[in-house]
Amino acid sequence: MENYYLGVDVGSVSTNLVLIDDENNILCKKYLRTQGKPIEILKEGLKELKEEIGDVNILGAGSTGSGRYLADLIIGADIVKNEITSHAISSLNFIPDVQTIIEIGGQDSKIIIIRDGIVVDFAMNTVCAAGTGSFLDRQAYRLGIPIEDFGRMALKSNNPVRIAGRCAVFAESDMIHKQQLGHNQEDIVWGLCQALVRNYLNNVGKGKDIKGPVMFQGGVAANMGIKRAFESQLGLEVFIPEYFDVMGAVGVAMLARNEVKKKKFSNFKGLEIADVDYKVRGIECNGCANACEIVEICGDNKILARYGDKCGKWSNIKNENTKLA
Amino acid sequence: MCKIGIPRGMLFYDYYPLWAEFFEELGAKVVVSPKSNKEILNSGVLSCVDECCLPVKVFHGHVDYLKDKVDYIFIPKIISIRKMEYCCPKILGLPDMVKFSIEDLPPIIDTNINLRKNSYTSSKYKKAVYEAGKCVIKNSSKIRNAYKKAEESYQRYLYLLSKGVIPIEAIKMYNKTFVDLNYNSKKHDMSIMVVGHPYNIYDEYLNMNIISKLINKGIKVMTPEMVNKDEIIYYSAQLPKRMFWTYGRRIVGSAFSLIERDEVDGIIYLSSFGCGIDSILIDLIERKAKNKGIPFTLLTLDEQTGEAGIDTRVEAFIDMMKWRDKDDFNISTLR
Ligand code: SF4
Ligand code: SF4
């Protein structure tokens, strides 16, 4: 039987799962909306995986994304890795001499600069939404265009209009203004793609030494308009990997495989965990002025973890939970 | 007994031992606000003017905490602490800002400290010391003696810092008779400089415990306060333009010194949202680090900073350093 490795990427917007084999072939991928319920969605993803692939040999698992520690608790990960490293690992596998990785997701974006196969610099977006997918979602909604059609429309534009992209609120009013001036939708959509890319390059990409080959991934990479806008503003060809929306999960699956081969055993609890009933409870601590909001996770009538405290009063219930963020 | 409140914010980690010992020698009881917490941050954000930088807002919270518990609050107006240099305008305006923003305050001891043209031995400085002490006792010789004693404690504190003790720890141990200095001398694989204004790097609540997190990962942590003064002067003098902010000079000089002498493997700059001075310092240090091939990253703190975001950046940064070092993530081994 083939051997497989599971990679899980739990982010605030999407939860992704992939199974890869020893040759980095992807057997199966799941892209689900997190909807603020990471545990439920993760379980659902595991259930879907199980139904789709039946009984296969999963030798190890890894977790990444902002919910990586939570995912670790549920699945029993062999490695827990941040998103930057995970993305870099998988991208290097697809284009070994990649020098720049652009990643844009629903609510966050990052840039990773690589030289000679090593990460030398990176940045993640801060509070601003104007350089992320949610910006496009919102404008698409205002224009009454399904977001799926956005890229196709943008490519049809002949008379580009410039839309101020410094901030999501400005962009919106500027877009409405351009609409009233009678610009057609294709041109406005293309203008929005350009605005997003400009914003990304000025914020996340500020001061970064962007060189080709450039890889573009994350959910927004589905949008061909954005790819074109990057190419026109960077003057470089931009590559989109086949599994652009699950690259973090692929990377951590690769790292998990490496880890399991090194240590010769796995912590992975098996896909059956999808059937365990997990309960999540919020507790407000009144132990001191920090008033921390504690999250408690129970499964099988046991407390699996508590986290969210500043002092360790709650999270130290068991030693194995001390690595919780 | 007269109670003097000292807010645990802004220049606290620079001068606390000096101030506290001084007032205690005079016979006052010193009350320090607790470490920053959610309540202090919230009350600070509420009372302070909106456009201010984060540390000044938090400082307001500390004052607010102390105001009903003490007879006086000590917030000196620190204009200059070194010849021909200044502190940031917000440090200089601190007592006035606080008085303007917070109601029902006890009297504020807002002694002017201005050493732009004078030294610590000048009569002007002695007068400032008297000004500060006279609320407790109006006796100039007692005040003089108290200051001398406080100076001695303060020198011990500075000595600990120079030996690589982090101010957060040094404040707890400067007046102990026996101090084990070996705890920081064990072998480390990696050393990181955490650089920035002291009120950002030592406020464990604002920066989500970054220093302890690094130490727990087995990393040696260096901060500007640990770098020798002469080194700082030497290296900051390399700047084409003279840096006239005291803290700016310390930050740039200490970072340059560690970079040039190859004593750090990476640099994390902790900045607070809304700080104009930082934007210049960051640029200078980042360029120097890139020049010498030393990994550099910037973490910006604001009221909404999430711990997960900080942790991710720190973890990715450490991976990046290890990656260079050991080929830890070598792709060929991943097959
Ligand atoms: S968990 Fe700890 S830090 Fe948080 S409120 Fe309770 S006692 Fe305070
Ligand atoms: S130097 Fe920056 S952080 Fe410090 S008080 Fe001035 S503006 Fe605020």
Side-chain angles (χ1 to χ4, degrees), chain B residues 10 53-56 88-91 197 199-200 272 274-278:
Chain B
M10 298 310 289
C53 58
L54 186 60
V56 169
C88 164
K90 285 180 188 137
I91 295 182
H197 286 95
Y199 34 82
N200 290 329
S272 50
C275 173
I277 294 182
D278 268 352

Side-chain angles (χ1 to χ4, degrees), chain B residues 29-84:
Chain B
K29 183 173 162 38
V30 170
V31 181
V32 185
S33 56
K35 288 186 178 172
S36 303
N37 57 44
K38 200 189 212 170
E39 219 171 88
I40 286 179
L41 173 66
N42 287 348
S43 80
V45 168
L46 274 181
S47 56
C48 183
V49 286
D50 251 357
E51 56 273 22
C52 220
C53 58
L54 186 60
V56 169
K57 286 183 184 171
V58 177
F59 187 84
H60 279 65
H62 283 277
V63 175
D64 196 46
Y65 172 92
L66 286 170
K67 71 176 186 190
D68 306 320
K69 302 177 177 66
V70 294
D71 305 312
Y72 296 93
I73 299 182
F74 184 56
I75 312 177
K77 189 179 175 73
I78 302 179
I79 300 166
S80 168
I81 45 177
R82 197 162 177 270
K83 266 218 170 85
M84 300 311 287

Side-chain angles (χ1 to χ4, degrees), chain B residues 45-217:
Chain B
V45 168
L46 274 181
S47 56
C48 183
V49 286
D50 251 357
E51 56 273 22
C52 220
C53 58
L54 186 60
V56 169
K57 286 183 184 171
V58 177
F59 187 84
H60 279 65
H62 283 277
V63 175
D64 196 46
Y65 172 92
L66 286 170
K67 71 176 186 190
D68 306 320
K69 302 177 177 66
V70 294
D71 305 312
Y72 296 93
I73 299 182
F74 184 56
I75 312 177
K77 189 179 175 73
I78 302 179
I79 300 166
S80 168
I81 45 177
R82 197 162 177 270
K83 266 218 170 85
M84 300 311 287
E85 288 182 358
Y86 283 106
C87 288
C88 164
K90 285 180 188 137
I91 295 182
L92 230 123
L94 203 55
D96 302 312
M97 242 190 296
V98 165
K99 278 189 251 173
F100 173 80
S101 303
I102 304 177
E103 281 168 24
D104 306 322
L105 283 176
I108 302 290
I109 308 175
D110 58 355
T111 317
N112 276 14
I113 312 275
N114 188 351
L115 300 173
R116 200 173 73 87
K117 288 192 193 130
N118 304 285
S119 73
Y120 283 99
T121 50
S122 66
S123 62
K124 200 160 170 207
Y125 186 68
K126 284 184 186 138
K127 223 174 111 203
V129 171
Y130 179 76
E131 279 288 307
K134 73 170 192 219
C135 322
V136 186
I137 189 166
K138 286 199 176 64
N139 178 327
S140 58
S141 75
K142 278 206 171 127
I143 291 176
R144 220 177 308 125
N145 281 333
Y147 187 79
K148 223 193 231 149
K149 282 251 171 69
E151 232 333 56
E152 284 163 20
S153 299
Y154 187 51
Q155 288 307 331
R156 276 204 300 280
Y157 177 68
L158 294 180
Y159 173 76
L160 290 179
L161 301 191
S162 73
K163 289 289 165 205
V165 182
I166 289 163
I168 302 168
E169 299 301 320
I171 274 185
K172 295 180 210 152
M173 56 197 226
Y174 73 90
N175 47 14
K176 299 222 168 83
T177 33
F178 176 77
V179 177
D180 178 13
L181 283 175
N182 288 323
Y183 87 106
N184 208 13
S185 62
K186 67 172 189 276
K187 267 263 156 263
H188 296 272
D189 293 342
M190 228 188 242
S191 63
I192 290 185
M193 178 182 205
V194 178
V195 63
H197 286 95
Y199 34 82
N200 290 329
I201 57 184
Y202 303 125
D203 190 317
E204 294 161 294
Y205 180 78
L206 286 191
N207 64 36
M208 323 215 186
N209 263 319
I210 185 161
I211 291 185
S212 345
K213 278 180 185 162
L214 292 173
I215 290 176
N216 289 340
K217 289 183 203 286

Side-chain angles (χ1 to χ4, degrees), chain A residues 285 287-288 290-292 294 309-311 313-314:
Chain A
C285 178
C288 81
N290 278 329
C292 300
I294 316 298
D309 53 348
K310 291 243 170 236
C311 66
K313 173 172 162 184
W314 298 84

